Amino acid sequence: MSYPAATSRPAAVAGVPAFEVERVTHRYGATVALQDVSLAIQPGELVAVVGPSGSGKTTLLQLLCGILLPDEGEVRILGRSTRRLQAGRERARLVGIMPQQFDLVDSLAVVHNVLAGRLGEWGFLRSAWSLLVPQELERARAALARVGLADKLFQRTARLSGGEQQRVALARLLVQDPLVMLADEPVSSLDPARAEDLVRELTAVARERGKTL
């Protein structure tokens, strides 16, 4: 099952990497998480970053999506420096992340957590109104159907299992529909069969939409 594509997305520019990391160092106090890292990922590539716990994978992903800024060096998304990207619509259209901790609001219904993927596009009034009357309901319904949770649309998120919450986080990323998708340990709470399904779904969406993953 497909879901509606968002409109007015910026296009990738030929020859410009989806991500360009140039001699990046990032510290947490006296602890160096990443040092002098350089890499380039091209539009449409599917890339996995593998390493032990504490090796800097999450820090790298947060730098790539602009949640963190490097202490030294430069990170660019489709040629745009993350230092100059505005949070909100501009960044949401370029890059989205499925975080390790899901960042869901347990007290809200599933539909509201999924539609949080659209907050970068909506203004304040529409976002507030959506908490009363969910906006773009069919987009949320289609995304949940794609991850196997069509029957959970109005269920309270706190009542879902960890694996189901992980799939809600993926559905939120689907409705955001950014050019580049990041996933931080996306199958850590899933059993092997469901993990394989989710990875297959992520890669299928990336290939269908020509996205970088």
Side-chain angles (χ1 to χ4, degrees), residues 49-92:
V49 179
V50 181
S53 178
S55 61
K57 301 185 302 296
T58 294
T59 297
L60 177 62
L61 290 181
Q62 291 181 345
L63 287 164
L64 291 178
C65 71
I67 294 174
L68 295 177
L69 295 177
D71 295 316
E72 299 171 20
E74 198 73 33
V75 178
R76 300 182 188 89
I77 307 172
L78 293 168
R80 298 164 173 87
S81 171
T82 56
R83 298 184 190 278
R84 292 186 287 275
L85 272 181
Q86 294 184 358
R89 183 173 298 180
E90 183 181 19
R91 193 166 73 186

Side-chain angles (χ1 to χ4, degrees), residues 101-182:
Q101 301 303 323
F102 313 151
D103 290 346
L104 304 176
V105 181
D106 287 345
S107 60
L108 293 180
V110 167
V111 62
H112 295 303
N113 276 297
V114 172
L115 288 173
R118 300 295 291 156
L119 297 183
E121 292 284 333
W122 297 345
F124 173 77
L125 289 179
R126 188 175 187 185
S127 300
W129 181 245
S130 187
L131 290 172
L132 298 174
V133 181
Q135 305 293 293
E136 300 188 24
L137 186 61
E138 289 310 309
R139 182 184 293 275
R141 194 190 307 273
L144 284 168
R146 181 146 198 176
V147 300
L149 294 177
D151 59 336
K152 306 293 185 181
L153 189 65
F154 292 107
Q155 187 163 323
R156 191 164 174 260
T157 303
R159 299 181 62 186
L160 302 183
S161 68
E164 288 172 331
Q165 290 189 15
Q166 205 148 16
R167 285 183 276 154
V168 171
L170 174 57
R172 179 182 59 198
L173 187 60
L174 295 183
V175 302
Q176 181 184 339
D177 194 31
L179 282 175
V180 179
M181 302 189 301
L182 302 172

